[in-house]
Each structure stands twice: as structure tokens, then as C-alpha cells.
Amino acid sequence: MPRLSAYRDFDWILLGFVLVLSIISVLEIKSATLHTKFHGFEQKQIGFLLVGLVLMFLISLIDYHRLIDIVHWAYGISIVSLVAVKLVGTKVLGARRWIKLPGGIHFQPSEWVKLILIVAVARYFWNLAGKELTWKDIWKAFALVCIPMALVLIQPDLGTSLTYVPILLCGLFLGGLRTKQAAILLLTFSLLGGVAWKSGKFLKPYQKARLTAFMDPDSDPKGSGYQIRQSLIAVGSGGVWGKGNNQGTQTQGDFLPIPYTDFIFAAFCEEHGFVGAVGVLLLYFLILMRLIQNAQTASDLPGAFIVMGVVAVIVFQIAVNIGMVVGLMPVTGIPLPLMSYGGSSILFTFLSLGIVMNVRMRRFVN
Amino acid sequence: MELTPSSELLGSQNREEKLSPGKLHATQYIVALVLAVLLVGLWRLQIVSADGYRVLAEANRIRKVPVLAPRGRLFDREGRLLVDNYPSVSCYILREQVKDLSIDLPLIAQGLHLTVDQIQATLRRFQSAPKYQPIPLKQDITPDEQAFIEAHRNELPELQTLDEQRRLYPRDGFAAHLIGYVGEVSEQMLDNDSRYAFYQPGDVVGRSGVEQTYDALLRGKDGSRDVIVNSHGKEVGALGQELAVPGQDLKLTIDLDIQMAAEKALEGKIGAIVAMDPHTGEILALASRPTFDPNQFSVRLTKSYWNEILNNPDHPLLNKATQAQLAPGSTFKIIMSVAGLQEGVAQSMHVMCNGGADFYGHFYACDKHHGMVDINNAIPWSCDTFYYNLANRLGIDTIARYATSLGFSQRTGIDLPDETSGTMPSTAWKLKTQHEKWFAGEVISVGIGQGAVTATPIQLARALGGVASGGVLHRPHVVFPDEVPPDQLSAIHDTFPGSGEKTIELSPENWQIISDAMAATTVTGTAAASHLEGIDFAGKTGTAQVMSHDALARSGGGHKTVPNAWFVGMAPRRNPDIVVTVLWQNGNWGANSAKLGAQVIDAFVEKQRKRANNIRIAEMPAPTPAPLSPTPGSPPVTPATKPAAE
């Protein structure tokens, strides 16, 4: 147990930014579900946030070194749970992503696997610290991330499985991957990716259609391009100042798809305009910079790796989600951290922030 | 971008236990870059293209729903309702709503009791219409079909219902030719008729009768509502609306009681009756037989009913009162009399009738041996011999001059569509149409309204009524002119040209001779059987052969060879209040038609007497919806062309 005084080192400023964003999220969820059967989701979101805050404090109590010590067990369990999802999971909209637990709780293992992977990757590269990465080291790192990733991909859940990629990339980048190795990897994967795309065996047609629709949403405005087109209309029609809270015609008229989860930023942009959107981006910028600063001040390498893993995942999700909303990225179903409605997403974010706090609180401990 | 690293860390730590600051700085730049790219994306949408997206957002949520104007109702001259509207629901299809309509067609067909082929035919008809325009799929749908559309709102968002007002006409084809009917505007009308320049395919317009002539007044102006819809097409609110301007109600000059008498008189016959007030040209009754049911036309016309109409040899759609051009027979003798008297010839003519006379080597028969005949008994006896001689004395061009001045070979200008003009032969006419010289002998038949002379019942009513009114002729009309705005009225007069208002010279002595002779017709003359006691009833019968004696002998008889029976009657004899023309095709004797005319005159006089005694006139019961019997499986047809005039 840390000294109580360690909470002086708890990152209250970071928490402040996070809470501001959470309040914005709750208000926008309320607006986006106003006339739908999902009315009242903002209250559930508040519940998730409170649980998240508690978990954040709880996880900050446990020394992250202890977490690193037991991560191989957690990793094993997560592989088992992912297999279990595939076998006994609840099927929703054609994908098995959830396990139904007693008490009506739906548990989505793939979100937690993200957290475990961050710690596992930190531990892996910590062990390799100081030496040059060999090809064998690199392949092992790939295996570490790609096994759970493949299990999530076949659920199928392309979006979540993609969020594991930045964890690996971040580890490789910070772990000492040389430029030459990076170039070879990049070349190989572009080739493999190209072949895989052409063969059509790895992605379902609807996934492919979604991935390409963002380049020309008007080619099939009622089909694969519908979501992205409605999102662009929502964001664009918001203009400088937005249409006002609860006033977004795209959001309120149910034109914008799932405006409380994946497209919440589009709903927000429609109702609060460019000014509001810049404000949210600024908050994200401050949060991320604060996180990177925490990585700099970490007392040891694994702590820094963990923090940077969290940064990588959050940046990736922001880039892919907002990129999707403004038509720069395909529709992948990745939620926007701290904004999108959803228990698993909120709890993951707060737990990962809790680990960051954990690292920060122990920055003077050797 | 770079944040100042906390200085407190630098110092004791193992170098390998720290991440390289360079890589952390690189990460900061990457994060900043990513956010900057997103910012540019937002800028592009919300600042640069905001206006365009605003338009798209509005187009998404606002739908223009037409509010159809109820058509103006029609009343008789005493304000009794003739044509009403009843509320009805139509089903429209919105092609914009779905990507592939063809998948839904079987379900739609089943629910609306149509066939897939019928729906496809409808869609094809509207292929060139703009995508956003709703296509009328089925009119006057049943409550069952409405429930089907309501229940399938999510699966079939392309179906939409619209409240409409539908026409309700009197039953059994009552005054059908006068009133007309409504139907969808045809492509032909849209393309070729400037009156329909601003109409849209699918618009309901008057297709005949008053409905057609006064369409611009009756139709009103459709409004629209801007409604807010959600992505399922469900109405969640309304913005503004442009109110529909209901069509103008019109008061017809028709008198229901007289119309009923005319309809009754014609029952089971082929022909027409038209009654007019010669003081003004107001049509008091206009009936034509066979008739048709306009209610069948106002909803989708079924193929079987349309075939029935088309295959009827007596042309039910033809308004025989204004379109049947037939030899007027002896009714033409009034025109002959006017010509003869005005020319100063007939006064002194005394002709010995021995059942006919020879002219130019031919024997022309009269139906009786009238003995010595002058103008005073030539009319009531309808002596052909007298008029053969008169025609021979006058010559064709003098006769034609008088006949033309009385409106022959011109339309009267009645405000009903497709009036025909009839024919008045003359030397110039023959040269022009047949490139032949006029033979002097041809004038003999013209003298008794045979030969090349043809006229319509309305022409005869106007001409003979005009003569009895001392030579004042009016433009016949079925709608009171003061009901119509002046610019509309002159437009209607331009569209329906005719001889219109006119006064011809007729000296009072001649006027007296002719009208007294016509009065004698119903007392001692050819229409004596139709004498109306106590009524100053005058008239002239006509029995017009439908073929020459030679042709008749060859044909071997048959109903269609029986002569047409004409009668033009009026009351009182001078300055009459009513003039009636009766055409009974194949009615054999003018005296038969005179009986029908007498019924109409009787109804008119009876009514005037009741009014004088202040007795209430029976109200006609309001029309009730005619039973509609759409034949399932037979595609609706639109009347493309009207049958040619007889």
C-alpha cells in the first residue's frame, strides 16, 4: 500500500480534464438519445463513470510492478476468455463479443485484453531493454499481440482487434526497433495486406465495403456509404457555432447512425459546431500531453512503457473515430474514448488511466 | 508542442531504465500532428462546406407533402347540388425511399390488391418524372389497404397515403355529357395543349363537359405542407404550410326539374334534348343518350367499362346535343321561311301540292296532298312541295346567306368542349370541298333540310329560338357568366369560338307570320298530338331521312334506316322563355319527338305556375356514392382519344 501522501502525486490535473470531457459526453448522450428508446442512457453512463472512477483509484493502489509480475497469468486467462466468447458468447448483430454474467452484466473480454496487452508488452520490452532487437524478438512480440488479436478478429470485431495494433507498434518503436527493420516490416505488411485484401478471404464483404465507402460515400448513399454520408452532413451542417443543444436535425431525426456511441462526435459537432469540436480536440491534446509527461517522469522503463501504451491506444482510437466522423477514415466501429456511451469502453479508459496514475504516484520509488 | 520535462527526474536513474527523450518528443509531435489533421478535417466540413451540408441536412428532414385542393362543386340554377366531393385516401409511392423497389413489389401488390405488372406499368408511365415526385399507385383505397400500409411502415417506407377529395357525380349518367368527368391529365394534353402547360403528370383535370371547360376555376390551387420527418419517413413535426385554395363552386344554368324531364323523355332512346332560354342563351337542360357513368371515370377506369363504352355503336361519350351533325329535316323550313319572307318572295307564294312536284326532270315527293298551300299553312303542315318551290325561287346562295346568319355551319360557341359546326352548302362551299359546280337541282332537297345540310340540336335551338325572339340570337352557355372572372370568360370565349351574340334583320310582320304558323303546328299541324292545353306552345317538327329513297330500297330496312325525328318547340310563341330541341335518332316521325319536347315544355310551364302559386319545388336528394366495381386484374386505362363526332 502506498503512503496516503502519495495522492499528492495523483494527477489531479489530468483527472480534471478527463472529468470535463466525461461531462460533455454525458450531456451529448442525453441529447442524442432524447427521442429514442435509448432515452436515459446518460444516467447509465454516469453510473459507468462512477464505477470507472472507483476502479481507477483501486488500481492505483496496487503497485504496477505487482501487475507486471502477474501479467502472464492474466494473459493466459484472457486468451481462454476470448476462446470462451467464441464458444458460449452472446450473439448480437451476428458477432459474438459478449459473455453474459450473472446479474445481467454483459462482459466484453476484448476491451480488458487491451489493458492486459499494454502491461504484457511493457513487460516484454522491459526484459529486452538495453539490447538490440533481433528478428526473433520482433516475431515474439508479434505473436504476443497477434494471438489475442486474431481471436477478436474472428468474433468478428475488426474495430477492437485493430486497437491492439498501436500497442504493438508503440512497443516496437520505443523498444528499439531499427529503421532498417521498420522499413522491412512496413514493406512486408503492405504486400501481405494487399494480397489478403485481393484474395478476400480475411475480410467479409460488408467489412470491405465499409472500409472503402469513406473514400466515396456518394457512390452508394443508401448502402455502405449511408453512415459516413449522414455523419458528414451532421458535422458539416453544424457550421461554426452548431445548431444548439438538442437541436441537431441529423441527430434528433435519427439520420445519424448510433449517435450515442460510435458517431457521438458527429452528434456533438452538429450541435456545438466547429467551436465545440475544437474545444474537445484541445481537451484530448491536453490529456495526451499530460500522459506523455507522465511517461517522461516514470521512475522506470516498464512504467514508461505502460503509460505510452495507454497513449498509443487512446491516440489511435481518437484518430480512427474522429477520422471516421469527418470522412478521413473508414467506418470500423471503434468508440471514442471518454465520449462514446458504453461500459466496457469507459471502464477500460478509467482503468488504464488508473495505471497511469499508479505509475506517476510511484515515480520517486526505486 | 514540446512540454518541458520535469527537472526533478534528471539525475540518479540508470540511463537504460529511461525511455529516450527523443522518442518521447517524437510521440508528442505525432500526437499533435494527428490532432492537427483531424482539425483540418473539421475545418473542411464545418467552415468550408458548411452551407452545402446545411442544405443536405434540411433536404434530409423536410418533406413537401402536397395538400390537394378540393374541386369546386356544381349547383343547378336554383342552388341545388349536382356534383359533390367525398373524402378518399390514395396510395402513393416514393421512389427515393428505397434502393431497389422491385424487391418490395410482390408484397405491395398483395397488400393493395394489384398485380406486379400493374405496378410496373404505373412506374413505367412515370419514368421520366422527377425522382422526388410521389407516384399515384392506387386511388380510393379501402380501409383494409390503408391498414396494410400503416402496418408495413417500416418494411415499406416508400408507400405513402394522401387524403384526397374525389368527385361524386349523379347516378345513371344524369347530365353526364354536360357535367363531364375528371381524370388524369394525358401526355397528349400536356404536350399539345397550351392550357395544360403548367400541369404535372398525374394531375387530375376535367376531361369533358363543364369539368373540362371550367377546369381552371374548379380545380383550385393545391397547397403543400413542409413536414419534418425522421430517417424512417415518420412525421415528427411540421414547419409551415401553404394552404390549398379550394376550387370555385359553380352555378350552372341548368334547372334540375327541366333536366329531369329531359332525361326522362329520352329514356331508352338514342338522341338528345337541349332546352335554352332564348332571352339569354342559358341552357336549362341538356341531355344525350346513350349516356355513361362519370363516377366510373373519376376513379381508375376499368378496361371492361372502357371497352363497353368504346364498343357501343351509339357512342355514349358523344354529346349529341352539341356534336351530332345531322340533316335537320323540316325544322330547316323555318330558316327557309325567314329567307323567303325577308326576300319578299314567300308572302305571295301559293303552291298547289299534289303530293310532290317535278324539278329539273326529277319528281320530288311530299308526304301528303296538301292542296293549295301558302306560307301560313306550309309551316304547320310542313308541306314539302311549297318549300321545293321556295328553294327553287331563292337559289342556294340566298338560302345559305340566311342560314349562315342564323348560325348554320358555325359553332354556336357554347361553353362545352368539342362542339361541331354542321354544314351549310352553297356554290362556294361545293367548289371548295368537292371542286365541282353547284347543280341547280340540288337546292330542292336543301329546301326541306335534306341534302348536304346538317345541323346540331344546339344550333337549331339557337336559330329557331332566335327567329321566335325577333332575330336576336345569343351565345348558349351552361355556366352563368357572372360566376366567371372576366379574363377567364374571354379566355373561354376564345377557346370556344362561335357565332355567339347576334341580331339578324327580321321584320315584325314576318316574325308574326312565322311564330303564328309555328303555334299552329301544335294545334292543327304536324305536332297537334302534342298540344298542350292552356300553353302558348309553338314548334316545328322534322322527319329527316337517314338515306335516300334508292339506298333505302337497297338496304332492306332495319332500325338504323328509320328516319331521325326532330322537333324544335318553344313557349310562348313570341319572345319565348324556353326553346327545346329534340333529336330522336331513328324516331321515325317528327311528331314523336314533338311529344318529348312537349314533356319538357310542360315541366317548364308547370314549374312557372307552381312558382307563381308559391308552391315549394321538390328538392333533389343529394347524390350518394355510386357503387364502384373495379374489376380485379384488369389494368386501368386512360381515355386517350375521344371518339370522332358523328
Side-chain angles (χ1 to χ4, degrees):
Chain A
M1 289 289 286
R3 298 156 292 148
L4 204 61
S5 61
Y7 281 102
R8 275 185 318 210
D9 295 323
F10 197 85
D11 196 341
W12 297 105
I13 293 172
L14 177 63
L15 186 62
F17 293 147
V18 166
L19 288 180
V20 171
L21 209 48
S22 300
I23 290 165
I24 292 174
S25 156
V26 167
L27 292 175
E28 192 53 52
I29 290 168
K30 184 179 160 83
S31 170
T33 56
L34 204 56
H35 304 295
T36 71
K37 61 181 175 184
F38 307 112
H39 182 57
F41 267 26
E42 72 280 359
Q43 282 163 27
K44 288 172 93 174
Q45 180 83 344
I46 291 171
F48 294 140
L49 287 168
L50 292 176
V51 174
L53 281 171
V54 170
L55 287 178
M56 185 171 98
F57 279 102
L58 284 180
I59 204 164
S60 69
L61 296 178
I62 310 162
D63 190 331
Y64 65 94
H65 298 98
R66 288 284 300 147
L67 296 175
I68 288 174
D69 287 343
I70 59 160
V71 76
H72 54 287
W73 292 110
Y75 185 82
I77 291 166
S78 60
I79 298 292
V80 171
S81 69
L82 285 175
V83 174
V85 165
K86 191 66 198 168
L87 297 178
V88 300
T90 311
K91 197 165 187 171
V92 176
L93 297 171
R96 289 186 194 280
R97 297 174 187 174
W98 288 270
I99 292 179
K100 211 170 175 179
L101 294 180
I105 298 166
H106 286 252
F107 175 68
Q108 191 177 353
S110 51
E111 284 288 338
W112 312 94
V113 172
K114 240 189 295 189
L115 202 58
I116 289 156
L117 271 183
I118 289 171
V119 180
V121 166
R123 172 172 162 157
Y124 179 75
F125 284 102
W126 176 40
N127 288 338
L128 296 173
K131 62 177 242 190
E132 297 220 322
L133 290 183
T134 66
W135 282 108
K136 198 180 163 193
D137 296 331
I138 292 168
W139 296 132
K140 274 186 182 166
F142 267 97
L144 185 70
V145 175
C146 287
I147 291 168
M149 188 172 156
L151 286 171
V152 174
L153 193 59
I154 60 170
Q155 283 180 351
D157 187 352
L158 177 68
T160 310
S161 71
L162 284 176
T163 58
Y164 299 170
V165 175
I167 302 171
L168 175 64
L169 293 182
C170 175
L172 287 171
F173 174 63
L174 298 177
L177 187 72
R178 278 163 296 162
T179 318
K180 198 173 136 196
Q181 287 171 323
I184 292 169
L185 283 177
L186 194 66
L187 203 67
T188 315
F189 278 96
S190 337
L191 277 174
L192 282 177
V195 171
W197 181 269
K198 284 266 179 216
S199 75
K201 279 182 189 156
F202 297 93
L203 288 173
K204 299 189 185 305
Y206 84 89
Q207 291 173 321
K208 276 176 94 164
R210 266 187 6 185
L211 288 177
T212 50
F214 81 99
M215 288 183 257
D216 185 12
D218 291 333
S219 67
D220 184 10
K222 299 274 166 178
S224 54
Y226 177 80
Q227 296 191 322
I228 196 69
R229 194 179 132 84
Q230 296 306 330
S231 175
L232 294 180
I233 293 173
V235 174
S237 63
V240 178
W241 299 103
K243 297 174 189 169
N245 202 28
N246 301 346
Q247 302 292 314
T249 59
Q250 290 283 105
T251 308
Q252 307 298 335
D254 204 11
F255 294 101
L256 189 63
I258 42 176
Y260 52 95
T261 58
D262 291 2
F263 285 94
I264 191 163
F265 192 67
F268 181 81
C269 287
E270 186 188 24
E271 298 192 335
H272 302 284
F274 186 68
V275 173
V278 168
V280 168
L281 283 186
L282 190 66
L283 279 170
Y284 277 123
F285 179 73
L286 293 171
I287 289 168
L288 288 165
M289 287 303 137
R290 193 75 192 168
L291 287 174
I292 294 172
Q293 193 193 10
N294 283 338
Q296 284 173 330
T297 61
S299 64
D300 55 9
L301 203 52
F305 264 110
I306 288 174
V307 175
M308 289 311 288
V310 172
V311 169
V313 172
I314 292 180
V315 169
F316 179 79
Q317 290 195 200
I318 292 170
V320 175
N321 183 284
I322 298 185
M324 161 185 87
V325 161
V326 298
L328 300 172
M329 286 276 183
V331 177
T332 43
I334 291 174
L336 186 60
L338 295 169
M339 283 284 282
S340 290
Y341 169 83
S344 293
S345 167
I346 288 294
L347 296 188
F348 158 76
T349 311
F350 274 85
L351 276 175
S352 51
L353 290 174
I355 296 179
V356 173
M357 299 295 184
N358 193 328
V359 172
R360 182 183 163 91
M361 281 155 68
R362 287 166 186 80
R363 59 191 159 159
F364 304 122
V365 180
N366 263 317
Chain B
M1 284 299 144
E2 178 186 345
L3 294 185
T4 322
S6 314
S7 55
E8 53 200 350
L9 296 182
L10 302 173
S12 63
Q13 314 264 315
N14 181 347
R15 218 185 138 69
E16 283 176 2
E17 286 287 295
K18 294 293 286 181
L19 284 175
S20 100
K23 283 186 176 171
L24 286 177
H25 286 159
T27 325
Q28 284 176 330
Y29 285 119
I30 291 170
V31 168
L33 183 69
V34 165
L35 294 180
V37 168
L38 296 180
L39 197 65
V40 171
L42 285 167
W43 174 273
R44 204 184 55 172
L45 295 177
Q46 298 194 286
I47 307 294
V48 180
S49 320
D51 290 340
Y53 283 113
R54 227 168 263 141
V55 172
L56 288 175
E58 289 297 284
N60 253 350
R61 74 182 186 122
I62 296 169
R63 184 179 293 161
K64 248 189 164 41
V65 176
V67 179
L68 301 182
R71 224 173 149 77
R73 293 170 300 170
L74 299 180
F75 296 90
D76 92 328
R77 64 187 296 127
E78 290 173 351
R80 287 172 287 187
L81 187 61
L82 288 171
V83 178
D84 200 358
N85 300 310
Y86 68 96
S88 136
V89 179
S90 289
C91 177
Y92 283 75
I93 200 158
L94 289 165
R95 286 165 299 174
E96 267 185 330
Q97 285 291 311
V98 280
K99 196 163 49 161
D100 189 0
L101 204 56
S102 58
I103 303 168
D104 295 340
L105 291 189
L107 181 60
I108 297 174
Q110 196 198 340
L112 295 181
H113 306 106
L114 297 166
T115 66
V116 173
D117 287 346
Q118 281 174 297
I119 303 176
Q120 277 166 343
T122 307
L123 291 174
R124 262 197 305 280
R125 258 191 326 127
F126 286 89
Q127 222 157 25
S128 55
K131 273 274 182 193
Y132 59 81
Q133 190 192 319
I135 294 180
L137 192 58
K138 188 170 184 185
Q139 290 165 323
D140 211 22
I141 59 174
T142 63
D144 273 5
E145 290 161 346
Q146 253 176 283
F148 165 82
I149 295 169
E150 206 51 55
H152 291 78
R153 223 173 243 312
N154 284 328
E155 299 99 298
L156 303 172
E158 65 269 34
L159 293 186
Q160 199 190 16
T161 56
L162 195 60
D163 293 332
E164 292 183 337
Q165 297 279 328
R166 224 152 250 304
R167 266 321 209 198
L168 184 57
Y169 295 108
R171 280 203 233 184
D172 304 324
F174 183 91
H177 299 88
L178 174 106
I179 293 168
Y181 55 89
V182 293
E184 257 175 46
V185 65
S186 72
E187 276 171 47
Q188 210 183 341
M189 291 154 84
L190 288 172
D191 294 345
N192 303 330
D193 196 329
S194 60
R195 279 186 293 162
Y196 301 99
F198 297 105
Y199 289 45
Q200 300 277 334
D203 275 358
V204 168
V205 299
R207 295 293 300 262
S208 82
V210 169
E211 292 276 30
Q212 182 181 337
T213 306
Y214 293 94
D215 190 63
L217 290 177
L218 290 170
R219 65 184 290 104
K221 196 168 175 297
D222 290 347
S224 64
R225 288 190 307 135
D226 287 334
V227 297
I228 301 174
V229 294
N230 66 13
S231 62
H232 311 296
K234 193 177 166 228
E235 212 176 302
V236 293
L239 281 180
Q241 62 173 341
E242 198 184 323
L243 291 172
V245 183
Q248 188 190 323
D249 290 345
L250 282 183
K251 202 183 215 182
L252 306 186
T253 59
I254 295 299
D255 185 312
L256 201 51
D257 302 297
I258 301 172
Q259 178 74 25
M260 279 198 275
E263 300 276 355
K264 198 166 158 234
L266 272 181
E267 202 120 309
K269 306 173 180 74
I270 298 166
I273 291 181
V274 54
M276 187 174 92
D277 178 353
H279 302 307
T280 55
E282 289 162 15
I283 300 292
L284 300 171
L286 190 152
S288 177
R289 284 291 185 280
T291 186
F292 62 94
D293 181 5
N295 291 297
Q296 297 260 14
F297 287 79
S298 80
V299 186
R300 299 309 289 274
L301 188 57
T302 60
K303 207 178 185 85
S304 60
Y305 188 69
W306 180 238
N307 283 337
E308 190 188 317
I309 296 274
L310 276 191
N311 296 332
N312 188 329
D314 297 317
H315 305 301
L317 289 180
L318 197 75
N319 182 356
K320 291 184 167 54
T322 61
Q323 293 176 285
Q325 322 177 68
L326 297 165
S330 300
T331 57
F332 190 71
K333 287 171 185 168
I334 301 300
I335 283 82
M336 289 297 297
S337 304
V338 170
L341 289 168
Q342 287 296 106
E343 291 292 304
V345 174
Q347 289 91 335
S348 55
M349 254 180 69
H350 295 276
V351 172
M352 188 64 191
C353 172
N354 292 316
D358 277 304
F359 295 96
Y360 308 97
H362 270 281
F363 178 72
Y364 291 84
C366 184
D367 61 321
K368 278 205 178 101
H369 289 64
H370 289 109
M372 194 55 92
V373 179
D374 62 12
I375 184 72
N376 296 310
N377 45 32
I379 292 176
W381 294 347
S382 199
C383 175
D384 289 351
T385 314
F386 182 87
Y387 285 98
Y388 293 146
N389 280 289
L390 181 58
N392 198 30
R393 294 268 302 269
L394 291 173
I396 187 64
D397 286 332
T398 307
I399 299 170
R401 198 174 77 235
Y402 279 93
T404 307
S405 72
L406 282 162
F408 277 67
S409 77
Q410 306 143 62
R411 286 177 277 196
T412 63
I414 189 172
D415 47 354
L416 289 176
D418 304 311
E419 189 192 358
T420 55
S421 59
T423 316
M424 185 60 223
S426 65
T427 52
W429 168 83
K430 194 169 181 198
L431 207 59
K432 194 177 161 194
T433 56
Q434 296 171 26
H435 310 289
E436 272 181 39
K437 273 183 74 176
W438 181 267
F439 297 108
E442 289 175 87
V443 78
I444 309 299
S445 317
V446 171
I448 59 161
Q450 296 278 171
V453 195
T454 63
T456 62
I458 185 74
Q459 272 178 335
L460 290 178
R462 177 168 173 271
L464 271 62
V467 171
S469 306
V472 181
L473 288 87
H474 291 287
R475 176 193 289 270
H477 53 269
V478 297
V479 172
F480 288 104
D482 58 7
E483 296 266 294
V484 186
D487 56 325
Q488 289 275 354
L489 193 65
S490 65
I492 285 168
H493 287 173
D494 290 345
T495 316
F496 303 104
S499 50
E501 307 289 324
K502 204 166 191 177
T503 306
I504 62 153
E505 215 171 289
L506 183 60
S507 72
E509 307 83 63
N510 296 341
W511 176 39
Q512 282 177 23
I513 292 170
I514 294 170
S515 47
D516 286 344
M518 283 204 283
T521 306
T522 65
V523 183
T524 57
T526 52
S530 304
H531 177 68
L532 295 172
E533 193 55 49
I535 299 176
D536 186 12
F537 177 30
K540 181 74 198 81
T541 56
T543 306
Q545 287 167 357
V546 293
M547 49 181 75
S548 69
H549 288 284
D550 297 347
L552 195 60
R554 282 197 303 274
S555 73
H559 178 69
K560 289 285 168 196
T561 65
V562 175
N564 292 332
W566 286 97
F567 178 70
V568 183
M570 56 211 71
R573 72 179 79 177
R574 280 197 271 279
N575 282 324
D577 296 325
I578 181 170
V579 55
V580 177
T581 303
V582 178
L583 163 65
W584 180 355
Q585 283 180 263
N586 314 116
N588 208 354
W589 288 105
N592 294 340
S593 281
K595 287 177 193 161
L596 308 187
Q599 289 175 30
V600 177
I601 298 278
D602 196 30
F604 176 77
V605 175
E606 190 64 20
K607 192 166 173 185
Q608 284 190 318
R609 285 177 182 161
K610 275 184 185 166
R611 180 165 293 140
N613 296 333
N614 208 8
I615 295 170
R616 256 181 85 90
I617 296 153
E619 287 283 324
M620 193 203 193
T624 46
L628 303 169
S629 52
T631 318
S634 66
V637 289
T638 315
T641 49
K642 292 196 163 73
E646 273 179 24

